[in-house]
Amino acid sequence: MTAEAPLTREMILNAAEQVLRRYGPEKTSVVDIAKFLQVSHGTLYRHFPSKAALREAVTERWLYNSILLPLQAEAEKQEGSAEVRLRLWVETLISKKRTYAAEEPEMFAMYAAVTIEAEELIKVHVNGLVRQIESILEYGVETKEFQSGNAANKARAFFLATSTFHHPAHAPEWKNPEIDKEFDAVWQLLLSGLR
């Protein structure tokens, strides 16, 4: 750090993410992040009141940039049927979670831990995902592909019914060679209910 570049929240989050990727969430301390930034750990506490708050902020940013934002682009696509759009949306969610579990295990482990510790953060994240599903279902009602009804309730039910395939608590099950067949069976059942 130089005197010309004041420490910002964004700089801390970037550093924390790099250190977390290197050492993992269990072994990373605030002191490790401070050393990486070449500042005292007290300096970090001016921006984040605790290690938990820092972890939550890193996870929140990661969830938004890596999951919510890319899925929003899928939800807002205007071409294709509602069925195709919904299938693509949920397959994208599943694919992203599997990829992150395999290729970014430290970040995924932190995300999995935070899902237990930071109830409000995860609630906001899930609500964002459910709203995306809801918009696709509403499109399906407009195009007469799906039955009318309470789209918000249906979207939440759809999210919950598919959670085995994207919730981090189920990550060990994703290695099951039958997992894609199991998803197809759930998909067909949900689709028949939506029609």
Side-chain angles (χ1 to χ4, degrees):
M1 297 293 309
T2 66
E4 297 148 14
L7 188 63
T8 66
R9 179 180 173 87
E10 195 66 20
M11 291 166 70
I12 295 169
L13 292 175
N14 289 338
E17 192 169 319
Q18 288 181 51
V19 175
L20 284 160
R21 286 177 196 279
R22 186 179 303 160
Y23 300 115
E26 296 307 315
K27 294 181 182 174
T28 299
S29 69
V30 173
V31 172
D32 294 327
I33 298 163
K35 281 181 185 176
F36 183 86
L37 288 165
Q38 299 177 351
V39 298
S40 73
H41 68 280
T43 302
L44 300 186
Y45 286 121
R46 289 188 201 118
H47 294 269
F48 298 95
S50 65
K51 177 183 176 181
L54 179 55
R55 281 175 46 152
E56 283 182 33
V58 171
T59 304
E60 180 179 32
R61 185 177 77 158
W62 182 76
L63 285 172
Y64 181 78
N65 292 331
S66 301
I67 305 290
L68 201 60
L69 215 53
L71 287 170
Q72 185 65 39
E74 292 296 333
E76 291 174 351
K77 283 185 177 172
Q78 296 300 311
E79 66 275 354
S81 69
E83 177 184 332
V84 167
R85 287 174 56 193
L86 185 59
R87 177 76 184 223
L88 184 58
W89 185 93
V90 73
E91 284 179 345
T92 301
L93 174 62
I94 291 167
S95 173
K96 285 189 169 300
K97 295 289 182 84
R98 287 183 189 178
T99 299
Y100 292 130
E103 296 176 8
E104 295 189 34
E106 294 81 12
M107 291 302 291
F108 194 80
M110 187 174 65
Y111 159 56
V114 169
T115 61
I116 297 165
E117 299 164 5
E119 189 176 315
E120 189 57 35
L121 167 66
I122 298 306
K123 181 180 174 183
V124 168
H125 176 67
V126 167
N127 286 343
L129 294 173
V130 169
R131 279 192 301 275
Q132 292 175 4
I133 298 168
E134 184 180 351
S135 73
I136 298 170
L137 296 182
E138 288 170 345
Y139 174 77
V141 170
E142 288 172 20
T143 59
K144 310 269 191 260
E145 292 175 70
F146 297 152
Q147 295 179 42
S148 61
N150 188 320
N153 287 345
K154 288 180 180 185
R156 188 159 300 279
F158 181 91
F159 183 82
L160 293 172
T162 59
S163 64
T164 297
F165 309 101
H166 54 76
H167 191 286
H170 295 279
E173 298 169 48
W174 302 343
K175 295 175 184 162
N176 175 355
E178 299 294 311
I179 194 77
D180 291 333
K181 286 182 184 176
E182 292 172 359
F183 171 72
D184 282 334
V186 170
W187 167 256
Q188 291 302 326
L189 182 65
L190 292 172
L191 194 58
S192 67
L194 291 171
R195 291 178 177 152

